[in-house]
Amino acid sequence: MDINLARTFLMVAETGSFIDAAHRLNITQSTVSARIKGLEDLLGRPVFERSKSGADLTAAGEQFHKHALALVRVWQRAQLEVSLSDQHRDHIAVGAPATLWHGALLKTISKLRTDTPDIAISATAAVQDVLTQRLIEGTLDLAMMYRPIQPPGHTVEHLFDEEFVLVTSARTAPKKGSSDYVFINWGSDFQRDHAAAYPELIKPGLSLDLGSMPLEYVLANELSAYFPMRVVKPYLSRGRLKQPKRARRFVYPVYLVYPEARDEDAYDPILDMLRRECGRYATD
Amino acid sequence: MDINLARTFLMVAETGSFIDAAHRLNITQSTVSARIKGLEDLLGRPVFERSKSGADLTAAGEQFHKHALALVRVWQRAQLEVSLSDQHRDHIAVGAPATLWHGALLKTISKLRTDTPDIAISATAAVQDVLTQRLIEGTLDLAMMYRPIQPPGHTVEHLFDEEFVLVTSARTAPKKGSSDYVFINWGSDFQRDHAAAYPELIKPGLSLDLGSMPLEYVLANELSAYFPMRVVKPYLSRGRLKQPKRARRFVYPVYLVYPEARDEDAYDPILDMLRRECGRYATD
DNA sequence: TCTATCTATCGAAATTTTCGATAGTGGTCA
DNA sequence: TGACCACTATCGAAAATTTCGATAGATAGA
């Protein structure tokens, strides 16, 4: 797959014509035709509907359009960034799902600021797949996450187990499948197990991927949703939230993920702080 | 640029050797050598340091590594999704930076659930670049964001102007440059203007990209940071936060971004709700 | 100094891409 | 209905690129 196939595709999509695309790209119409045919062979589907009036995108073509843009963009970005690759990175980037930022991780960040004021820190809340991706590509130095797919070249270290419980702010007991249930995206493991436990809720009416926002939303709207026990415990104690009887619980181990090849002087103080802070969450 | 150059690069990076990569890829060592040389010609820099013991990534090579992964992944994803392009999408994905989820947008989501219970909604809080990217690749249907780079094929519609103000929870007035200041990532425009206004704070000790978490963090830790006035107004009224004298304010227009080619029956009710809800934020 | 092991280069062969010419298709108009 | 027009598809040839096998070059270790 050559990027030029994507560029040719995009030009035909833009002009609506093989001939016009050929003019813009300084190649012949038969070259455009051959390239689009080659692309269609690779994808296994036609991307244009040809006619006397030119070429229109098929459904597959419309689907491919964004990928073609992405391919061109990734390659352009690669060329740019490689040319700037001598720049030095002097900060540490830490990431975790929004849930895990409650408590220990944020406290550790605070302590790090105090103890090592010359190291800049950037903190990111994102979903697990994004975190894994950024670890792989090197834009994240350390992550805390639920059971990760082990990124190549990284150590995965168990910290504690996180329990997800169903809670509701409604005054009457909610029924599963009713519109007061909100699915919150706690990661792919949760999504899978949740789908297995509640097959009828595979497609809830509302799903949220909003960091810490969901708790406020659930509290304000008499909804029910799954949350980590660690987070909702104070609200349960105060009666703001209730646990419905006989709801499934999900338990997921939480891990630290960091590079095998690392500057131990920089990493070890952080890792040690996190191990200590998370000690309190150890169960049984 | 052929994806096979990226694949070859990744295999050499993984094995540390042209010969081993050749074996794994079922090509000859000279083909590997030629491909890597071709890649280096395109990038304008060497990506491997060759030696008798094999090949190690250069700084440019390390930089290129994530792009190579991205290229391979985008192409794989393209092939998969094109093959599923007949599937019907029956939900709407909405995205905004965490800040903008406060208020109107979340209320609109609630109303939508009530008015159109058969349409599934997924809501995502993410930074602007991610939102733009997802609009382009079609995994987001509608976004609310500060001044976006106009994604191709999308309409950008102005809603209201958002004012960012510096607030502090500290009892004594904070000094810029001191360790009680936290930089919160409100997007690239804010980053740029903030850097221009406070050049000495280009690299703050702590920067957060944590959705709505930062307000709680600032309140709990006697820190200062920029927030939208809309969000902090209640805290200012209650005295929980103060506005330091003579701090810069930043004002950014907020826009809706949605596809030009769209099912208006599906979109227009949502757009109208949002226009009404945001009417209250109109300034002057 | 010799050997081993790796990458780089060479020339030839194989494969792919591009071109110009022309076939094929289908819509429009008299 | 036939001619004309405008577009894409295909063909065969030429050009360009890629791959291979052989071997040169570089370097570390014994």
Side-chain angles (χ1 to χ4, degrees):
Chain A
M1 169 45 180
D2 191 289
I3 300 291
N4 276 328
L5 303 190
R7 287 203 179 98
T8 303
F9 166 87
L10 290 168
M11 188 59 80
V12 173
E14 179 183 326
T15 60
S17 149
F18 284 31
I19 286 183
D20 288 345
H23 287 139
R24 300 279 207 84
L25 295 170
N26 284 319
I27 54 180
T28 66
Q29 175 267 323
S30 55
T31 297
V32 170
S33 185
R35 286 182 181 178
I36 298 302
K37 184 177 190 308
L39 177 64
E40 287 171 335
D41 289 344
L42 290 170
L43 291 171
R45 287 167 174 266
V47 293
F48 288 109
E49 183 88 17
R50 281 81 147 164
S51 73
K52 168 174 145 46
S53 54
D56 296 309
L57 287 166
T58 61
E62 295 201 14
Q63 194 74 325
F64 181 68
H65 195 278
K66 60 182 184 278
H67 298 296
L69 281 170
L71 282 172
V72 171
R73 188 176 316 110
V74 169
W75 175 236
Q76 283 171 339
R77 168 69 64 87
Q79 289 176 290
L80 175 64
E81 290 199 6
V82 163
S83 70
L84 302 174
S85 61
D86 291 355
Q87 286 182 351
H88 175 58
R89 290 166 47 213
D90 59 350
H91 88 300
I92 182 162
V94 183
T99 321
L100 291 174
W101 279 107
H102 282 280
L105 194 50
L106 210 49
K107 274 179 189 149
T108 300
I109 298 296
S110 296
K111 283 182 176 178
L112 280 172
R113 289 299 306 138
T114 304
D115 294 352
T116 54
D118 51 316
I119 296 183
I121 301 173
S122 67
T124 302
V127 298
Q128 192 135 319
D129 294 341
V130 171
L131 295 172
T132 303
Q133 177 53 38
R134 289 190 56 193
L135 282 165
I136 291 173
E137 65 190 35
T139 57
L140 208 59
D141 300 304
L142 169 65
M144 182 185 287
M145 59 176 79
Y146 302 103
R147 191 174 59 192
I149 295 158
Q150 178 151 358
H154 286 75
T155 297
V156 176
E157 171 186 331
H158 179 254
L159 277 178
F160 65 97
D161 294 338
E162 179 99 282
E163 182 183 32
F164 284 87
V165 294
L166 180 64
V167 294
T168 180
S169 61
R171 290 173 186 80
T172 61
K175 279 180 283 200
K176 288 189 300 298
S178 70
S179 65
D180 69 347
Y181 179 73
V182 175
F183 175 77
I184 301 177
N185 180 14
W186 299 119
S188 53
D189 282 353
F190 181 77
Q191 279 180 297
R192 182 200 63 228
D193 294 346
H194 183 279
Y198 301 118
E200 71 280 19
L201 283 175
I202 284 180
K203 177 99 59 82
L206 177 62
S207 67
L208 302 177
D209 179 12
L210 295 180
S212 60
M213 185 73 73
L215 185 49
E216 305 169 23
Y217 187 75
V218 164
L219 287 168
N221 288 280
E222 298 209 9
L223 298 169
S224 58
Y226 273 87
F227 284 93
M229 176 61 90
R230 180 171 54 79
V231 171
V232 294
K233 206 162 186 170
Y235 297 90
L236 290 169
S237 300
R238 295 205 289 271
R240 292 290 311 281
L241 292 170
K242 297 195 198 76
Q243 277 189 267
K245 292 185 178 64
R246 283 208 308 232
R248 287 286 305 274
R249 297 178 175 220
F250 303 96
V251 178
Y252 299 103
V254 175
Y255 299 83
L256 270 181
V257 186
Y258 48 91
E260 286 169 356
R262 63 188 182 275
D263 179 356
E264 290 178 1
D265 288 341
Y267 273 87
D268 286 355
I270 305 167
L271 299 177
D272 289 341
M273 274 190 206
L274 282 168
R275 291 175 186 126
R276 283 197 296 274
E277 284 292 334
C278 293
R280 79 180 68 178
Y281 302 135
T283 55
D284 196 47
Chain B
M1 169 45 180
D2 191 288
I3 300 293
N4 277 329
L5 302 191
R7 286 204 181 98
T8 303
F9 167 86
L10 289 169
M11 189 58 79
V12 174
E14 180 183 324
T15 61
S17 148
F18 283 31
I19 285 184
D20 288 345
H23 286 140
R24 300 277 207 87
L25 294 170
N26 285 319
I27 55 180
T28 66
Q29 174 269 323
S30 54
T31 298
V32 171
S33 185
R35 287 182 181 178
I36 299 302
K37 183 176 190 308
L39 177 64
E40 287 171 337
D41 289 345
L42 290 171
L43 292 172
R45 287 169 174 265
V47 292
F48 288 110
E49 184 88 17
R50 279 81 146 167
S51 72
K52 170 173 142 45
S53 55
D56 299 308
L57 286 167
T58 60
E62 295 199 15
Q63 194 74 325
F64 181 68
H65 193 279
K66 61 180 183 280
H67 298 296
L69 281 170
L71 284 172
V72 170
R73 188 177 315 109
V74 169
W75 176 237
Q76 282 172 340
R77 165 70 64 89
Q79 288 175 290
L80 175 63
E81 291 199 8
V82 162
S83 71
L84 301 174
S85 59
D86 293 356
Q87 283 185 350
H88 175 59
R89 291 166 45 213
D90 58 350
H91 90 298
I92 182 163
V94 183
T99 322
L100 290 174
W101 278 107
H102 282 279
L105 193 51
L106 211 48
K107 274 181 189 147
T108 300
I109 297 295
S110 297
K111 283 185 175 176
L112 280 173
R113 290 299 303 140
T114 303
D115 293 354
T116 54
D118 50 314
I119 296 181
I121 299 174
S122 68
T124 302
V127 297
Q128 191 136 318
D129 294 341
V130 171
L131 295 172
T132 303
Q133 177 55 38
R134 288 188 57 193
L135 282 165
I136 291 173
E137 64 190 36
T139 56
L140 208 60
D141 300 304
L142 168 66
M144 183 186 285
M145 59 176 80
Y146 301 103
R147 192 176 58 190
I149 296 158
Q150 180 151 357
H154 285 76
T155 298
V156 176
E157 172 187 331
H158 179 254
L159 277 179
F160 64 98
D161 293 337
E162 177 101 282
E163 183 182 31
F164 284 86
V165 294
L166 180 64
V167 294
T168 181
S169 62
R171 291 175 186 77
T172 60
K175 278 180 281 197
K176 290 186 298 299
S178 67
S179 63
D180 68 349
Y181 179 73
V182 175
F183 175 76
I184 300 176
N185 181 12
W186 299 118
S188 53
D189 282 353
F190 180 77
Q191 279 180 296
R192 183 200 62 230
D193 294 345
H194 183 279
Y198 300 121
E200 72 279 18
L201 283 176
I202 284 180
K203 178 96 64 74
L206 179 61
S207 67
L208 302 177
D209 180 13
L210 295 180
S212 59
M213 186 73 72
L215 185 51
E216 304 169 24
Y217 187 76
V218 163
L219 286 169
N221 287 279
E222 298 209 8
L223 298 169
S224 59
Y226 273 88
F227 285 93
M229 174 61 89
R230 181 172 53 81
V231 170
V232 295
K233 204 163 187 172
Y235 297 90
L236 289 168
S237 301
R238 297 205 289 270
R240 290 289 311 281
L241 291 171
K242 297 195 198 82
Q243 277 188 269
K245 294 188 176 64
R246 284 209 306 227
R248 286 286 305 274
R249 297 177 175 221
F250 302 98
V251 178
Y252 298 103
V254 174
Y255 298 84
L256 271 181
V257 185
Y258 47 92
E260 287 169 356
R262 63 186 182 278
D263 179 355
E264 290 179 2
D265 288 341
Y267 273 85
D268 286 357
I270 305 169
L271 298 177
D272 288 341
M273 273 189 206
L274 282 167
R275 290 174 188 128
R276 284 196 296 274
E277 284 292 332
C278 293
R280 80 178 66 176
Y281 301 135
T283 54
D284 195 49

